[in-house]
Amino acid sequence: MRLRTANVADYPRLIELWEASVRATHDFLAEQDLQALKPLILNQYFDAVCLTVACRDEDDIVGFVGVADANVEMLFIAPDCRGQGVGTLLLKHAIDQQGATAVDVNEQNHAALSFYRARGFGIGGRSPLDGQGKPYPLLHLQLNA
């Protein structure tokens, strides 16, 4: 597995991977909310973070992490690659190379919460609404010292 910085040419693959990952892990998310998020992710959020991709080879992106201001803003893995260490590799990179110390997780996403807790994150707070004001509560996780 190789990590590299993403570029704009990767965005079409990243949005495909994002959607596949969200569909596999965010069963609580309404279809209309997913469709509303998709153009925001593609046209705004990708450009607002430092994106790192995990590749099996140069053209086979299987996961990505986006970091801004010491926060993991996005971490998505291809559904067929979950449980193979890709997320751990990307998170370790975000912590060690980009100084990430925090991440928000949807409260309903139990797998993500377990993933981050197993890697040293603890719950520091909770918001009843997500970043778009939707009723998808967020847990604010902090990397334990």
Side-chain angles (χ1 to χ4, degrees):
M1 195 67 52
R2 188 173 78 79
L3 301 182
R4 67 170 173 79
T5 301
N7 57 61
V8 175
D10 295 321
Y11 287 10
R13 170 62 183 140
L14 297 185
I15 199 66
E16 286 176 5
L17 196 151
W18 172 84
E19 184 172 357
S21 180
V22 168
R23 289 188 183 283
T25 59
H26 293 62
D27 58 353
F28 55 88
L29 190 64
E31 180 67 24
Q32 65 192 31
D33 293 330
L34 184 146
Q35 293 303 324
L37 277 171
K38 193 172 176 179
L40 293 173
I41 299 287
L42 182 60
N43 300 316
Q44 294 177 29
Y45 298 167
F46 283 162
D47 289 333
V49 297
C50 179
L51 282 169
T52 302
V53 297
C55 304
R56 283 189 276 221
D57 62 44
E58 187 62 33
D59 297 320
D60 190 17
I61 297 171
V62 296
F64 66 92
V65 64
V67 177
D69 300 323
N71 291 297
V72 174
E73 298 291 345
M74 53 184 77
L75 176 60
F76 294 96
I77 309 303
D80 64 334
C81 292
R82 289 179 61 209
Q84 298 178 19
V86 178
T88 299
L89 181 66
L90 286 165
L91 182 61
K92 183 173 177 10
H93 174 82
I95 293 167
D96 295 346
Q97 303 301 315
Q98 298 174 286
T101 59
V103 62
D104 287 345
V105 173
N106 290 105
E107 187 174 62
Q108 303 98 318
N109 190 342
H110 303 291
L113 179 58
S114 294
F115 170 83
Y116 288 110
R117 292 195 69 153
R119 285 149 188 85
F121 285 80
I123 299 172
R126 180 184 184 274
S127 297
L129 304 175
D130 70 7
Q132 283 70 46
K134 300 288 185 175
Y136 302 114
L138 293 176
L139 296 175
H140 310 294
L141 307 182
Q142 293 289 323
L143 185 61
N144 297 322

